PDB file of all heavy atoms in Angstrom:
ATOM      1  N   ILE Z  55       4.071   9.758   2.130  1.00  0.00           N
ATOM      2  CA  ILE Z  55       3.568   8.744   3.054  1.00  0.00           C
ATOM      3  C   ILE Z  55       4.482   7.535   2.963  1.00  0.00           C
ATOM      4  O   ILE Z  55       4.856   7.105   1.870  1.00  0.00           O
ATOM      5  CB  ILE Z  55       2.127   8.345   2.707  1.00  0.00           C
ATOM      6  CG1 ILE Z  55       1.188   9.537   2.906  1.00  0.00           C
ATOM      7  CG2 ILE Z  55       1.669   7.154   3.539  1.00  0.00           C
ATOM      8  CD1 ILE Z  55      -0.232   9.291   2.475  1.00  0.00           C
ATOM      9  N   GLU Z  56       4.823   7.008   4.123  1.00  0.00           N
ATOM     10  CA  GLU Z  56       5.653   5.810   4.188  1.00  0.00           C
ATOM     11  C   GLU Z  56       4.876   4.710   4.898  1.00  0.00           C
ATOM     12  O   GLU Z  56       4.277   4.940   5.946  1.00  0.00           O
ATOM     13  CB  GLU Z  56       6.931   6.096   4.955  1.00  0.00           C
ATOM     14  CG  GLU Z  56       7.821   4.878   5.114  1.00  0.00           C
ATOM     15  CD  GLU Z  56       9.067   5.206   5.900  1.00  0.00           C
ATOM     16  OE1 GLU Z  56       8.954   5.455   7.122  1.00  0.00           O
ATOM     17  OE2 GLU Z  56      10.145   5.218   5.286  1.00  0.00           O
ATOM     18  N   PHE Z  57       4.893   3.530   4.302  1.00  0.00           N
ATOM     19  CA  PHE Z  57       4.355   2.336   4.934  1.00  0.00           C
ATOM     20  C   PHE Z  57       5.540   1.540   5.462  1.00  0.00           C
ATOM     21  O   PHE Z  57       6.372   1.080   4.680  1.00  0.00           O
ATOM     22  CB  PHE Z  57       3.569   1.480   3.939  1.00  0.00           C
ATOM     23  CG  PHE Z  57       2.292   2.123   3.468  1.00  0.00           C
ATOM     24  CD1 PHE Z  57       2.237   2.790   2.254  1.00  0.00           C
ATOM     25  CD2 PHE Z  57       1.145   2.068   4.242  1.00  0.00           C
ATOM     26  CE1 PHE Z  57       1.076   3.371   1.809  1.00  0.00           C
ATOM     27  CE2 PHE Z  57      -0.027   2.655   3.806  1.00  0.00           C
ATOM     28  CZ  PHE Z  57      -0.062   3.315   2.592  1.00  0.00           C
ATOM     29  N   ASP Z  58       5.623   1.382   6.761  1.00  0.00           N
ATOM     30  CA  ASP Z  58       6.723   0.644   7.378  1.00  0.00           C
ATOM     31  C   ASP Z  58       6.218  -0.751   7.746  1.00  0.00           C
ATOM     32  O   ASP Z  58       5.388  -0.905   8.633  1.00  0.00           O
ATOM     33  CB  ASP Z  58       7.218   1.376   8.618  1.00  0.00           C
ATOM     34  CG  ASP Z  58       8.428   0.723   9.255  1.00  0.00           C
ATOM     35  OD1 ASP Z  58       8.812  -0.394   8.837  1.00  0.00           O
ATOM     36  OD2 ASP Z  58       8.991   1.319  10.180  1.00  0.00           O
ATOM     37  N   PHE Z  59       6.721  -1.746   7.035  1.00  0.00           N
ATOM     38  CA  PHE Z  59       6.314  -3.132   7.242  1.00  0.00           C
ATOM     39  C   PHE Z  59       7.280  -3.889   8.151  1.00  0.00           C
ATOM     40  O   PHE Z  59       7.225  -5.113   8.217  1.00  0.00           O
ATOM     41  CB  PHE Z  59       6.189  -3.848   5.894  1.00  0.00           C
ATOM     42  CG  PHE Z  59       4.930  -3.492   5.151  1.00  0.00           C
ATOM     43  CD1 PHE Z  59       4.892  -2.403   4.303  1.00  0.00           C
ATOM     44  CD2 PHE Z  59       3.772  -4.243   5.312  1.00  0.00           C
ATOM     45  CE1 PHE Z  59       3.739  -2.063   3.623  1.00  0.00           C
ATOM     46  CE2 PHE Z  59       2.611  -3.919   4.633  1.00  0.00           C
ATOM     47  CZ  PHE Z  59       2.594  -2.825   3.786  1.00  0.00           C
ATOM     48  N   THR Z  60       8.145  -3.183   8.843  1.00  0.00           N
ATOM     49  CA  THR Z  60       9.065  -3.833   9.773  1.00  0.00           C
ATOM     50  C   THR Z  60       8.269  -4.656  10.787  1.00  0.00           C
ATOM     51  O   THR Z  60       7.330  -4.145  11.390  1.00  0.00           O
ATOM     52  CB  THR Z  60       9.923  -2.783  10.509  1.00  0.00           C
ATOM     53  OG1 THR Z  60      10.644  -2.028   9.527  1.00  0.00           O
ATOM     54  CG2 THR Z  60      10.884  -3.438  11.476  1.00  0.00           C
ATOM     55  N   GLY Z  61       8.640  -5.912  10.934  1.00  0.00           N
ATOM     56  CA  GLY Z  61       7.962  -6.793  11.872  1.00  0.00           C
ATOM     57  C   GLY Z  61       6.812  -7.577  11.281  1.00  0.00           C
ATOM     58  O   GLY Z  61       6.315  -8.521  11.898  1.00  0.00           O
ATOM     59  N   VAL Z  62       6.353  -7.204  10.090  1.00  0.00           N
ATOM     60  CA  VAL Z  62       5.277  -7.958   9.436  1.00  0.00           C
ATOM     61  C   VAL Z  62       5.903  -9.179   8.783  1.00  0.00           C
ATOM     62  O   VAL Z  62       6.774  -9.064   7.926  1.00  0.00           O
ATOM     63  CB  VAL Z  62       4.528  -7.095   8.392  1.00  0.00           C
ATOM     64  CG1 VAL Z  62       3.499  -7.928   7.645  1.00  0.00           C
ATOM     65  CG2 VAL Z  62       3.868  -5.902   9.074  1.00  0.00           C
ATOM     66  N   ARG Z  63       5.480 -10.356   9.229  1.00  0.00           N
ATOM     67  CA  ARG Z  63       6.060 -11.602   8.731  1.00  0.00           C
ATOM     68  C   ARG Z  63       5.323 -12.131   7.512  1.00  0.00           C
ATOM     69  O   ARG Z  63       5.917 -12.719   6.618  1.00  0.00           O
ATOM     70  CB  ARG Z  63       6.053 -12.655   9.831  1.00  0.00           C
ATOM     71  CG  ARG Z  63       7.007 -12.306  10.976  1.00  0.00           C
ATOM     72  CD  ARG Z  63       6.983 -13.346  12.081  1.00  0.00           C
ATOM     73  NE  ARG Z  63       5.707 -13.245  12.793  1.00  0.00           N
ATOM     74  CZ  ARG Z  63       4.857 -14.253  13.006  1.00  0.00           C
ATOM     75  NH1 ARG Z  63       5.142 -15.456  12.584  1.00  0.00           N
ATOM     76  NH2 ARG Z  63       3.739 -14.069  13.655  1.00  0.00           N
ATOM     77  N   ILE Z  64       4.018 -11.929   7.497  1.00  0.00           N
ATOM     78  CA  ILE Z  64       3.196 -12.433   6.404  1.00  0.00           C
ATOM     79  C   ILE Z  64       1.926 -11.593   6.337  1.00  0.00           C
ATOM     80  O   ILE Z  64       1.514 -11.006   7.329  1.00  0.00           O
ATOM     81  CB  ILE Z  64       2.875 -13.938   6.596  1.00  0.00           C
ATOM     82  CG1 ILE Z  64       2.282 -14.531   5.335  1.00  0.00           C
ATOM     83  CG2 ILE Z  64       1.992 -14.159   7.807  1.00  0.00           C
ATOM     84  CD1 ILE Z  64       2.246 -16.038   5.329  1.00  0.00           C
ATOM     85  N   ALA Z  65       1.350 -11.515   5.172  1.00  0.00           N
ATOM     86  CA  ALA Z  65       0.069 -10.831   4.971  1.00  0.00           C
ATOM     87  C   ALA Z  65      -0.628 -11.562   3.832  1.00  0.00           C
ATOM     88  O   ALA Z  65      -0.050 -12.476   3.229  1.00  0.00           O
ATOM     89  CB  ALA Z  65       0.281  -9.363   4.638  1.00  0.00           C
ATOM     90  N   ASN Z  66      -1.848 -11.170   3.542  1.00  0.00           N
ATOM     91  CA  ASN Z  66      -2.506 -11.787   2.391  1.00  0.00           C
ATOM     92  C   ASN Z  66      -2.896 -10.717   1.378  1.00  0.00           C
ATOM     93  O   ASN Z  66      -2.842  -9.519   1.654  1.00  0.00           O
ATOM     94  CB  ASN Z  66      -3.696 -12.658   2.812  1.00  0.00           C
ATOM     95  CG  ASN Z  66      -4.824 -11.869   3.429  1.00  0.00           C
ATOM     96  OD1 ASN Z  66      -4.959 -10.671   3.223  1.00  0.00           O
ATOM     97  ND2 ASN Z  66      -5.650 -12.547   4.199  1.00  0.00           N
ATOM     98  N   SER Z  67      -3.287 -11.166   0.203  1.00  0.00           N
ATOM     99  CA  SER Z  67      -3.598 -10.226  -0.872  1.00  0.00           C
ATOM    100  C   SER Z  67      -4.844  -9.404  -0.558  1.00  0.00           C
ATOM    101  O   SER Z  67      -4.937  -8.247  -0.975  1.00  0.00           O
ATOM    102  CB  SER Z  67      -3.752 -10.955  -2.206  1.00  0.00           C
ATOM    103  OG  SER Z  67      -4.782 -11.904  -2.137  1.00  0.00           O
ATOM    104  N   SER Z  68      -5.782  -9.953   0.168  1.00  0.00           N
ATOM    105  CA  SER Z  68      -6.981  -9.199   0.548  1.00  0.00           C
ATOM    106  C   SER Z  68      -6.598  -7.961   1.351  1.00  0.00           C
ATOM    107  O   SER Z  68      -7.079  -6.851   1.097  1.00  0.00           O
ATOM    108  CB  SER Z  68      -7.920 -10.095   1.358  1.00  0.00           C
ATOM    109  OG  SER Z  68      -9.013  -9.364   1.850  1.00  0.00           O
ATOM    110  N   PHE Z  69      -5.717  -8.137   2.322  1.00  0.00           N
ATOM    111  CA  PHE Z  69      -5.255  -7.021   3.137  1.00  0.00           C
ATOM    112  C   PHE Z  69      -4.506  -5.997   2.288  1.00  0.00           C
ATOM    113  O   PHE Z  69      -4.788  -4.795   2.341  1.00  0.00           O
ATOM    114  CB  PHE Z  69      -4.360  -7.534   4.270  1.00  0.00           C
ATOM    115  CG  PHE Z  69      -3.766  -6.434   5.098  1.00  0.00           C
ATOM    116  CD1 PHE Z  69      -4.474  -5.877   6.131  1.00  0.00           C
ATOM    117  CD2 PHE Z  69      -2.497  -5.949   4.810  1.00  0.00           C
ATOM    118  CE1 PHE Z  69      -3.937  -4.839   6.879  1.00  0.00           C
ATOM    119  CE2 PHE Z  69      -1.952  -4.911   5.558  1.00  0.00           C
ATOM    120  CZ  PHE Z  69      -2.677  -4.358   6.593  1.00  0.00           C
ATOM    121  N   MET Z  70      -3.540  -6.457   1.511  1.00  0.00           N
ATOM    122  CA  MET Z  70      -2.706  -5.556   0.713  1.00  0.00           C
ATOM    123  C   MET Z  70      -3.521  -4.812  -0.339  1.00  0.00           C
ATOM    124  O   MET Z  70      -3.324  -3.609  -0.546  1.00  0.00           O
ATOM    125  CB  MET Z  70      -1.575  -6.312   0.033  1.00  0.00           C
ATOM    126  CG  MET Z  70      -0.533  -6.783   0.981  1.00  0.00           C
ATOM    127  SD  MET Z  70       0.286  -5.411   1.797  1.00  0.00           S
ATOM    128  CE  MET Z  70       1.740  -6.242   2.346  1.00  0.00           C
ATOM    129  N   ASN Z  71      -4.435  -5.527  -0.996  1.00  0.00           N
ATOM    130  CA  ASN Z  71      -5.251  -4.863  -2.005  1.00  0.00           C
ATOM    131  C   ASN Z  71      -6.123  -3.786  -1.373  1.00  0.00           C
ATOM    132  O   ASN Z  71      -6.258  -2.690  -1.912  1.00  0.00           O
ATOM    133  CB  ASN Z  71      -6.110  -5.875  -2.764  1.00  0.00           C
ATOM    134  CG  ASN Z  71      -5.287  -6.734  -3.685  1.00  0.00           C
ATOM    135  OD1 ASN Z  71      -4.171  -6.396  -4.051  1.00  0.00           O
ATOM    136  ND2 ASN Z  71      -5.838  -7.879  -4.059  1.00  0.00           N
ATOM    137  N   ALA Z  72      -6.714  -4.083  -0.221  1.00  0.00           N
ATOM    138  CA  ALA Z  72      -7.561  -3.098   0.443  1.00  0.00           C
ATOM    139  C   ALA Z  72      -6.766  -1.889   0.917  1.00  0.00           C
ATOM    140  O   ALA Z  72      -7.253  -0.763   0.882  1.00  0.00           O
ATOM    141  CB  ALA Z  72      -8.285  -3.751   1.618  1.00  0.00           C
ATOM    142  N   LEU Z  73      -5.542  -2.119   1.350  1.00  0.00           N
ATOM    143  CA  LEU Z  73      -4.710  -1.033   1.858  1.00  0.00           C
ATOM    144  C   LEU Z  73      -4.087  -0.202   0.743  1.00  0.00           C
ATOM    145  O   LEU Z  73      -4.020   1.031   0.834  1.00  0.00           O
ATOM    146  CB  LEU Z  73      -3.599  -1.602   2.753  1.00  0.00           C
ATOM    147  CG  LEU Z  73      -2.725  -0.598   3.496  1.00  0.00           C
ATOM    148  CD1 LEU Z  73      -3.540   0.149   4.552  1.00  0.00           C
ATOM    149  CD2 LEU Z  73      -1.542  -1.313   4.144  1.00  0.00           C
ATOM    150  N   ILE Z  74      -3.668  -0.848  -0.347  1.00  0.00           N
ATOM    151  CA  ILE Z  74      -2.833  -0.179  -1.342  1.00  0.00           C
ATOM    152  C   ILE Z  74      -3.493  -0.006  -2.712  1.00  0.00           C
ATOM    153  O   ILE Z  74      -3.389   1.058  -3.320  1.00  0.00           O
ATOM    154  CB  ILE Z  74      -1.495  -0.944  -1.486  1.00  0.00           C
ATOM    155  CG1 ILE Z  74      -0.743  -0.900  -0.155  1.00  0.00           C
ATOM    156  CG2 ILE Z  74      -0.651  -0.370  -2.612  1.00  0.00           C
ATOM    157  CD1 ILE Z  74       0.448  -1.816  -0.084  1.00  0.00           C
ATOM    158  N   SER Z  75      -4.175  -1.025  -3.216  1.00  0.00           N
ATOM    159  CA  SER Z  75      -4.710  -0.958  -4.589  1.00  0.00           C
ATOM    160  C   SER Z  75      -5.622   0.230  -4.809  1.00  0.00           C
ATOM    161  O   SER Z  75      -5.538   0.911  -5.842  1.00  0.00           O
ATOM    162  CB  SER Z  75      -5.471  -2.238  -4.939  1.00  0.00           C
ATOM    163  OG  SER Z  75      -4.589  -3.275  -5.206  1.00  0.00           O
ATOM    164  N   GLY Z  76      -6.500   0.472  -3.857  1.00  0.00           N
ATOM    165  CA  GLY Z  76      -7.455   1.570  -4.013  1.00  0.00           C
ATOM    166  C   GLY Z  76      -6.790   2.924  -4.159  1.00  0.00           C
ATOM    167  O   GLY Z  76      -7.307   3.816  -4.846  1.00  0.00           O
ATOM    168  N   LEU Z  77      -5.645   3.094  -3.506  1.00  0.00           N
ATOM    169  CA  LEU Z  77      -4.910   4.353  -3.631  1.00  0.00           C
ATOM    170  C   LEU Z  77      -4.475   4.581  -5.074  1.00  0.00           C
ATOM    171  O   LEU Z  77      -4.616   5.674  -5.621  1.00  0.00           O
ATOM    172  CB  LEU Z  77      -3.684   4.339  -2.719  1.00  0.00           C
ATOM    173  CG  LEU Z  77      -3.949   4.264  -1.219  1.00  0.00           C
ATOM    174  CD1 LEU Z  77      -2.638   4.049  -0.467  1.00  0.00           C
ATOM    175  CD2 LEU Z  77      -4.653   5.511  -0.737  1.00  0.00           C
ATOM    176  N   PHE Z  78      -3.947   3.527  -5.696  1.00  0.00           N
ATOM    177  CA  PHE Z  78      -3.478   3.645  -7.070  1.00  0.00           C
ATOM    178  C   PHE Z  78      -4.638   3.662  -8.059  1.00  0.00           C
ATOM    179  O   PHE Z  78      -4.536   4.280  -9.113  1.00  0.00           O
ATOM    180  CB  PHE Z  78      -2.474   2.542  -7.391  1.00  0.00           C
ATOM    181  CG  PHE Z  78      -1.142   2.799  -6.759  1.00  0.00           C
ATOM    182  CD1 PHE Z  78      -0.839   2.277  -5.519  1.00  0.00           C
ATOM    183  CD2 PHE Z  78      -0.209   3.603  -7.381  1.00  0.00           C
ATOM    184  CE1 PHE Z  78       0.372   2.539  -4.906  1.00  0.00           C
ATOM    185  CE2 PHE Z  78       1.009   3.887  -6.779  1.00  0.00           C
ATOM    186  CZ  PHE Z  78       1.300   3.348  -5.536  1.00  0.00           C
ATOM    187  N   GLU Z  79      -5.731   3.004  -7.706  1.00  0.00           N
ATOM    188  CA  GLU Z  79      -6.920   3.075  -8.561  1.00  0.00           C
ATOM    189  C   GLU Z  79      -7.430   4.514  -8.632  1.00  0.00           C
ATOM    190  O   GLU Z  79      -7.832   4.985  -9.681  1.00  0.00           O
ATOM    191  CB  GLU Z  79      -8.008   2.154  -8.022  1.00  0.00           C
ATOM    192  CG  GLU Z  79      -9.249   2.117  -8.883  1.00  0.00           C
ATOM    193  CD  GLU Z  79     -10.300   1.161  -8.384  1.00  0.00           C
ATOM    194  OE1 GLU Z  79     -10.052   0.408  -7.422  1.00  0.00           O
ATOM    195  OE2 GLU Z  79     -11.399   1.171  -8.963  1.00  0.00           O
ATOM    196  N   GLN Z  80      -7.393   5.215  -7.528  1.00  0.00           N
ATOM    197  CA  GLN Z  80      -7.872   6.595  -7.481  1.00  0.00           C
ATOM    198  C   GLN Z  80      -6.882   7.582  -8.085  1.00  0.00           C
ATOM    199  O   GLN Z  80      -7.277   8.519  -8.772  1.00  0.00           O
ATOM    200  CB  GLN Z  80      -8.142   7.011  -6.036  1.00  0.00           C
ATOM    201  CG  GLN Z  80      -9.308   6.323  -5.400  1.00  0.00           C
ATOM    202  CD  GLN Z  80      -9.433   6.676  -3.917  1.00  0.00           C
ATOM    203  OE1 GLN Z  80      -8.642   7.439  -3.384  1.00  0.00           O
ATOM    204  NE2 GLN Z  80     -10.409   6.093  -3.268  1.00  0.00           N
ATOM    205  N   HIS Z  81      -5.590   7.400  -7.823  1.00  0.00           N
ATOM    206  CA  HIS Z  81      -4.607   8.434  -8.150  1.00  0.00           C
ATOM    207  C   HIS Z  81      -3.644   8.068  -9.274  1.00  0.00           C
ATOM    208  O   HIS Z  81      -2.930   8.949  -9.749  1.00  0.00           O
ATOM    209  CB  HIS Z  81      -3.808   8.795  -6.896  1.00  0.00           C
ATOM    210  CG  HIS Z  81      -4.670   9.275  -5.783  1.00  0.00           C
ATOM    211  ND1 HIS Z  81      -5.170  10.555  -5.732  1.00  0.00           N
ATOM    212  CD2 HIS Z  81      -5.155   8.640  -4.686  1.00  0.00           C
ATOM    213  CE1 HIS Z  81      -5.917  10.693  -4.644  1.00  0.00           C
ATOM    214  NE2 HIS Z  81      -5.919   9.555  -4.000  1.00  0.00           N
ATOM    215  N   GLY Z  82      -3.562   6.815  -9.653  1.00  0.00           N
ATOM    216  CA  GLY Z  82      -2.681   6.414 -10.741  1.00  0.00           C
ATOM    217  C   GLY Z  82      -1.204   6.482 -10.392  1.00  0.00           C
ATOM    218  O   GLY Z  82      -0.816   6.549  -9.226  1.00  0.00           O
ATOM    219  N   SER Z  83      -0.382   6.499 -11.416  1.00  0.00           N
ATOM    220  CA  SER Z  83       1.069   6.412 -11.237  1.00  0.00           C
ATOM    221  C   SER Z  83       1.672   7.641 -10.566  1.00  0.00           C
ATOM    222  O   SER Z  83       2.774   7.571 -10.034  1.00  0.00           O
ATOM    223  CB  SER Z  83       1.753   6.166 -12.572  1.00  0.00           C
ATOM    224  OG  SER Z  83       1.508   7.245 -13.448  1.00  0.00           O
ATOM    225  N   SER Z  84       0.969   8.751 -10.561  1.00  0.00           N
ATOM    226  CA  SER Z  84       1.500   9.954  -9.906  1.00  0.00           C
ATOM    227  C   SER Z  84       1.732   9.721  -8.415  1.00  0.00           C
ATOM    228  O   SER Z  84       2.567  10.387  -7.801  1.00  0.00           O
ATOM    229  CB  SER Z  84       0.560  11.138 -10.104  1.00  0.00           C
ATOM    230  OG  SER Z  84      -0.687  10.896  -9.466  1.00  0.00           O
ATOM    231  N   LEU Z  85       1.036   8.772  -7.856  1.00  0.00           N
ATOM    232  CA  LEU Z  85       1.176   8.468  -6.430  1.00  0.00           C
ATOM    233  C   LEU Z  85       2.523   7.832  -6.106  1.00  0.00           C
ATOM    234  O   LEU Z  85       2.987   7.898  -4.966  1.00  0.00           O
ATOM    235  CB  LEU Z  85       0.036   7.538  -6.001  1.00  0.00           C
ATOM    236  CG  LEU Z  85      -0.200   7.345  -4.526  1.00  0.00           C
ATOM    237  CD1 LEU Z  85      -0.484   8.674  -3.839  1.00  0.00           C
ATOM    238  CD2 LEU Z  85      -1.360   6.398  -4.307  1.00  0.00           C
ATOM    239  N   LEU Z  86       3.176   7.233  -7.090  1.00  0.00           N
ATOM    240  CA  LEU Z  86       4.457   6.567  -6.853  1.00  0.00           C
ATOM    241  C   LEU Z  86       5.507   7.499  -6.267  1.00  0.00           C
ATOM    242  O   LEU Z  86       6.352   7.067  -5.484  1.00  0.00           O
ATOM    243  CB  LEU Z  86       4.982   5.941  -8.149  1.00  0.00           C
ATOM    244  CG  LEU Z  86       4.235   4.700  -8.629  1.00  0.00           C
ATOM    245  CD1 LEU Z  86       4.690   4.325 -10.034  1.00  0.00           C
ATOM    246  CD2 LEU Z  86       4.419   3.546  -7.673  1.00  0.00           C
ATOM    247  N   SER Z  87       5.456   8.755  -6.612  1.00  0.00           N
ATOM    248  CA  SER Z  87       6.449   9.693  -6.091  1.00  0.00           C
ATOM    249  C   SER Z  87       6.151  10.126  -4.654  1.00  0.00           C
ATOM    250  O   SER Z  87       7.004  10.704  -3.995  1.00  0.00           O
ATOM    251  CB  SER Z  87       6.543  10.921  -6.994  1.00  0.00           C
ATOM    252  OG  SER Z  87       5.302  11.599  -7.016  1.00  0.00           O
ATOM    253  N   ASN Z  88       4.955   9.818  -4.152  1.00  0.00           N
ATOM    254  CA  ASN Z  88       4.567  10.234  -2.806  1.00  0.00           C
ATOM    255  C   ASN Z  88       4.591   9.102  -1.787  1.00  0.00           C
ATOM    256  O   ASN Z  88       4.495   9.359  -0.588  1.00  0.00           O
ATOM    257  CB  ASN Z  88       3.162  10.826  -2.813  1.00  0.00           C
ATOM    258  CG  ASN Z  88       3.070  12.056  -3.659  1.00  0.00           C
ATOM    259  OD1 ASN Z  88       3.395  12.027  -4.837  1.00  0.00           O
ATOM    260  ND2 ASN Z  88       2.627  13.151  -3.087  1.00  0.00           N
ATOM    261  N   LEU Z  89       4.662   7.870  -2.239  1.00  0.00           N
ATOM    262  CA  LEU Z  89       4.615   6.721  -1.333  1.00  0.00           C
ATOM    263  C   LEU Z  89       5.964   6.020  -1.284  1.00  0.00           C
ATOM    264  O   LEU Z  89       6.663   5.930  -2.286  1.00  0.00           O
ATOM    265  CB  LEU Z  89       3.579   5.689  -1.795  1.00  0.00           C
ATOM    266  CG  LEU Z  89       2.116   6.042  -1.686  1.00  0.00           C
ATOM    267  CD1 LEU Z  89       1.267   4.844  -2.100  1.00  0.00           C
ATOM    268  CD2 LEU Z  89       1.734   6.492  -0.302  1.00  0.00           C
TER     269      LEU Z  89
END
């Protein structure tokens, strides 16, 4: 899975945590090779 942030000028931690943190909370470091 690729997250393409092209064109995103700014975001906040609430958005990023909701989008990304939960993935790593569920799957741990093994997810690093897939993202």
Side-chain angles (χ1 to χ4, degrees):
I55 295 175
E56 178 181 70
F57 292 98
D58 184 352
F59 283 88
T60 301
V62 175
R63 292 179 289 126
I64 192 166
N66 66 22
S67 60
S68 174
F69 176 84
M70 289 297 199
N71 289 340
L73 187 67
I74 297 169
S75 284
L77 296 172
F78 285 93
E79 183 177 354
Q80 291 174 0
H81 302 281
S83 62
S84 64
L85 194 58
L86 288 170
S87 62
N88 298 56
L89 290 184

